[in-house]
Amino acid sequence: MKINTPLLNRHFCAVVFSAFLFAGAAQAEKSTLNLFIWSEYIDPQIVSAFEKQFDCKVNIDLYEDVDSMLAKIQGGGAGLYDVVVPSDNLVPVMMKQNLLAPLRHENIPNLKNLGEKFVSPAYDSKNRFTVAYQWGTVGLLARKTAGQPLPDSWACIFDPAKSAGSFMLIDSVRDQVGAALKYQGHSVNSIIPSELKAARDLCIAAKSRSVGFDGSVGVKNKILAKTAQVGIVYSGEGVRAMVDDTNTTYIIPKEGSVIWVDNLAVLAKAPHRDLAEKFLNFILDARIGAQLSAYTQFATPNQAARAFIKPLDLENHAIYPLPEVTDRLEFLNDLGFKLRLYDEVWTQIKTR
Amino acid sequence: MPEKRQMHLGQQLTRAGRWSRAGITSGPAALWLGIFLALPLAAILAISFLTRGEYGGVELPFTFDSYKRLAGFGELGFDSLYPVVLGRSLALGMATAVLCLAAALPLAFFIARLSEKYKGAALTLVVIPFWTNLLIRTYAWQILFSPNRWLTVAAHSLGIGTAGEALYPGTLAVLTGMVCDFLPFMVLPLYASVEKMDWTLAEAAADLGADRWRVFRHALLPQIWPGLGAGFILVFLPATGQFVIPDLLGGAKTAMLGNVIQQQFASSRDWPFGSAIAAVALLLVLVGLAIFQRKGSKHEVLP
């Protein structure tokens, strides 16, 4: 028996070792895509369709704001993900830090589906690093009250005489301060201290009259729960609220507001670059694009997808604003060192 | 050739032997603390003296800029807002700790005097809230504090708040959420002290004519001081850094230390400034603890 033991051991080792080999082989066979994206920002059915078509597994990690995404990527997470979804103003920041991989356009034939405005945008000329994913606006979600006109101006937040009932502010520095800047007729990218001080004072006064700050989804939920009458939200939440409760409506104030484009990008250290580009191409497909916007209730940058989008959505000015409204919308730029002004203004707003 | 040596416990060791023994016994812990505590702390300190890059990240040269900003010399002129935020966070931590203490002291005595049969159950009840996530518990308070809920209505009938309105956001809601979250951290160490208490000292004090307050002050308090101190620190420290509860129950209207630090690492992408705030907060807390410990050591009771 004694002689057999080492033999048995060797046998056992071989079995264990081959098991490891097989496990490794199985893993290599089924590739994975690691997606880092906003919560509730992709239709789970699109994900499973992609998994099925390319026989892969999609791991999804979620974030609630893009800045946290960037912080995680900068803080050593660069190799953890393949695809991220930066907003227009974050794209130059990520580009300058060499965090993004240039796109190989030959792998993304569906690029031709992009609408004219989204081809070679100002923040990424020739679409070297990004393709547009969804776009939207910042505006007011208001509850209709019988016998009272709906607010059409930021004044319902910033002017106590024109109040339209209790209101919520958005817990996002650039969007909230941007609204105050627009109300005063300034650019949302102002770096002039006097303009920012005035915007700060407006926000501090508004804060004391408000129900409080919350993220876009939180504001929407509080208006649906009737904790507040008016609030600042992104267009997607605005439109979703209108579906849930027909007594609410989404308005882009007449003074103008913020417009944004979220983009798909592949990280420079992406472990699965080929699959990532396949994913970008998949999302740019006309039918998938339509399905995506039907889910998010944001606007599609995909011109070809419009053919498959419900006419009711296309005609909804809360999703696709009229050209004369779009003219008053402004993109947020990255302000480099001057971002510190906004940081300080925001801390002051939150401290007073 | 080294000679073969036999070692016995208590034997006088050579210097090298002492070091190797110390390495085996406390080496792993020291290594752990070094890698996961000392090193990150040193990194935070180093980053706080660096410069923010134009697109975030950190760059040379070394500067005191972050500390100057923290003192109030900002982009828009002098403003003492950061000391205000710091003071507010410390006040919230202190208020939470004091309220927890007020609630936990009678509870700890009550549980300690229960019969063995019920003690376990009572302690389990104290710990049960931990079985649900902090966020869920906090959102639950939002619902309870909403207009027309029974708790809100009951509070209104007692003259708290305005009838028909929610009880949150507000200071009352924040303190309620904080105390409920941190209470177990105060109860458990206090209970451990009360449980071991030598009640004969109280009897002796009473026999010698001490009134109830003096019995507590001179015979009981010194005995529970270690538990009280541990509980106070366990509550005060995390409560000072807490920002989720003030955000959710305070309407995110007031910035806490945690908010401001988080803001630096997220939207403002200013790691040096965030590190500087964290470093100063840590320093203040350490100084506070040192003072606390000095005071604590005076409260010793003769065995």
Side-chain angles (χ1 to χ4, degrees):
Chain A
M1 277 337 272
K2 250 188 179 167
I3 308 160
N4 260 346
T5 327
L7 204 78
L8 242 174
N9 270 347
R10 207 178 305 155
H11 237 59
F12 183 69
C13 283
V15 168
V16 169
F17 186 63
S18 55
F20 270 113
L21 268 185
F22 277 119
Q27 233 164 26
E29 216 174 275
K30 198 147 190 171
S31 50
T32 51
L33 179 81
N34 298 319
L35 174 64
F36 198 25
I37 190 169
W38 284 84
S39 61
E40 291 182 38
Y41 208 25
I42 189 161
D43 186 348
Q45 289 181 0
I46 293 179
V47 174
S48 43
F50 179 78
E51 284 178 330
K52 219 170 172 185
Q53 187 170 333
F54 293 94
D55 189 30
C56 62
K57 168 98 188 69
V58 179
N59 294 326
I60 301 182
D61 254 8
L62 302 173
Y63 51 82
E64 290 294 342
D65 66 292
V66 270
D67 301 305
S68 316
M69 178 272 283
L70 182 63
K72 185 160 180 189
I73 301 293
Q74 282 181 327
L80 287 180
Y81 303 105
D82 298 300
V83 177
V84 292
V85 193
S87 55
D88 51 86
N89 59 324
L90 270 203
V91 171
V93 178
M94 298 189 79
M95 260 160 59
K96 294 267 170 46
Q97 299 194 11
N98 300 319
L99 290 171
L100 302 181
L103 299 177
R104 294 166 294 188
H105 285 199
E106 65 272 20
N107 294 342
I108 313 172
N110 282 339
L111 264 173
K112 65 176 193 313
N113 288 346
L114 273 184
E116 191 189 338
K117 267 194 252 170
F118 302 96
V119 175
S120 193
Y123 52 83
D124 180 21
S125 73
K126 301 206 175 89
N127 291 92
R128 277 189 63 218
F129 294 96
T130 64
V131 296
Y133 180 70
Q134 298 279 274
W135 65 275
T137 54
V138 177
L140 292 168
L141 177 64
R143 178 167 288 283
K144 297 175 196 163
T145 327
Q148 218 182 23
L150 278 168
D152 63 344
S153 155
W154 290 119
C156 70
I157 304 268
F158 297 115
D159 185 351
K162 291 178 182 153
S163 161
S166 57
F167 61 88
M168 291 284 304
L169 303 172
I170 191 161
D171 204 357
S172 157
V173 45
R174 295 293 301 275
D175 296 318
Q176 178 60 47
V177 178
L181 285 166
K182 273 289 172 197
Y183 172 63
Q184 296 176 294
H186 305 310
S187 161
V188 295
N189 294 307
S190 171
I191 48 168
I192 300 165
S194 61
E195 292 182 4
L196 280 166
K197 278 183 182 170
R200 170 195 71 193
D201 295 341
L202 277 176
C203 289
I204 292 172
K207 175 181 98 166
S208 62
R209 297 191 304 270
S210 76
V211 182
F213 293 85
D214 210 333
S216 183
V217 177
V219 171
K220 178 202 77 175
N221 289 339
K222 281 187 178 129
I223 289 172
L224 288 179
K226 299 180 185 168
T227 309
Q229 291 281 319
V230 188
I232 304 176
V233 295
Y234 301 130
S235 48
E237 270 75 52
V239 176
R240 277 197 238 175
M242 288 163 75
V243 173
D244 286 349
D245 182 344
T246 48
N247 263 324
T248 60
T249 189
Y250 176 76
I251 307 143
I252 296 173
K254 62 182 182 198
E255 295 92 349
S257 184
V258 171
I259 182 173
W260 48 262
V261 181
D262 278 339
N263 305 272
L264 294 177
V266 180
L267 287 179
K269 290 185 184 163
H272 317 96
R273 194 174 167 198
D274 291 331
L275 193 61
E277 285 175 341
K278 280 181 187 142
F279 181 75
L280 265 55
N281 195 52
F282 188 78
I283 293 291
L284 284 173
D285 177 81
R287 281 174 191 278
I288 296 293
Q291 191 185 342
L292 179 64
S293 283
Y295 175 84
T296 62
Q297 294 287 303
F298 281 114
T300 186
N302 188 332
Q303 190 63 33
R306 290 174 77 104
F308 301 101
I309 287 178
K310 277 185 289 180
L312 209 65
D313 280 350
L314 283 179
E315 287 156 18
N316 189 341
H317 301 316
I319 306 179
Y320 299 94
L322 292 166
E324 61 260 36
V325 176
T326 318
D327 288 345
R328 297 193 302 266
L329 300 175
E330 225 184 324
F331 281 103
L332 293 172
N333 299 335
D334 179 67
L335 301 171
F337 290 123
K338 290 292 179 187
L339 195 59
R340 190 169 282 179
L341 281 168
Y342 281 80
D343 173 66
E344 206 163 300
V345 160
W346 192 239
T347 311
Q348 287 173 334
I349 292 170
K350 288 295 193 87
T351 312
R352 290 295 131 78
Chain B
M1 225 171 119
E3 73 178 293
K4 215 172 183 182
R5 276 190 305 179
Q6 222 176 1
M7 232 168 15
H8 300 283
L9 275 177
Q11 181 190 352
Q12 192 83 43
L13 285 174
T14 58
R15 185 179 282 262
R18 264 211 302 273
W19 275 104
S20 75
R21 191 179 271 189
I24 291 163
T25 50
S26 43
L31 205 66
W32 179 272
L33 286 177
I35 293 174
F36 294 110
L37 184 73
L39 223 61
L41 277 180
I44 287 176
L45 207 61
I47 290 173
S48 75
F49 287 105
L50 285 168
T51 313
R52 174 199 195 263
E54 186 169 4
Y55 298 97
V58 287
E59 288 172 6
L60 287 168
F62 286 101
T63 114
F64 286 102
D65 272 4
S66 296
Y67 289 94
K68 268 189 215 151
R69 263 186 89 194
L70 193 52
F73 299 96
E75 300 276 324
L76 296 167
F78 182 81
D79 187 332
S80 61
L81 79 160
Y82 297 109
V84 169
V85 174
L86 200 64
R88 187 182 282 154
S89 296
L90 292 173
L92 178 71
M94 189 57 86
T96 307
V98 169
L99 286 174
C100 279
L101 182 64
L105 206 54
L107 186 61
F109 275 94
F110 175 73
I111 296 176
R113 310 221 76 178
L114 282 176
S115 69
E116 288 301 324
K117 206 167 91 189
Y118 295 115
K119 256 185 205 171
L123 286 175
T124 313
L125 282 175
V126 169
V127 181
I128 273 185
F130 281 137
W131 295 359
T132 40
N133 182 286
L134 164 70
L135 283 176
I136 295 172
R137 274 179 282 147
T138 312
Y139 277 113
W141 278 115
Q142 280 197 357
I143 295 169
L144 283 173
F145 285 150
S146 292
N148 304 324
R149 296 279 168 170
W150 65 267
L151 190 70
T152 315
V153 173
H156 288 331
S157 68
L158 289 174
I160 303 166
T162 325
E165 278 180 24
L167 280 178
Y168 86 99
T171 319
L172 178 78
V174 172
L175 284 176
T176 311
M178 295 289 277
V179 170
C180 286
D181 185 44
F182 288 106
L183 192 58
F185 291 106
M186 187 68 93
V187 173
L188 297 179
L190 258 184
Y191 164 77
S193 288
V194 174
E195 237 257 309
K196 287 186 303 196
M197 186 121 74
D198 182 359
W199 289 95
T200 52
L201 282 174
E203 281 168 29
D207 286 347
L208 294 170
D211 58 27
R212 294 177 68 136
W213 163 245
R214 295 186 71 180
V215 169
F216 177 76
R217 169 77 184 72
H218 295 288
L220 298 185
L221 187 62
Q223 296 194 67
I224 59 169
W225 192 256
L228 200 143
F232 204 86
I233 289 166
L234 280 176
V235 174
F236 175 66
L237 290 192
T240 304
Q242 175 61 262
F243 63 97
V244 174
I245 295 173
D247 263 11
L248 290 178
L249 293 175
K253 281 182 170 185
T254 43
M256 290 294 159
L257 200 60
N259 296 108
V260 182
I261 295 175
Q262 190 261 357
Q263 189 179 314
Q264 301 313 318
F265 288 93
S267 61
S268 301
R269 299 197 278 285
D270 197 337
W271 293 18
F273 190 45
S275 302
I277 306 173
V280 168
L282 188 70
L283 187 77
L284 280 179
V285 165
L286 285 179
V287 169
L289 286 186
I291 294 170
F292 188 83
Q293 217 165 21
R294 275 196 153 177
K295 273 196 165 172
S297 59
K298 286 181 197 152
H299 285 261
E300 265 168 39
V301 69
L302 292 170

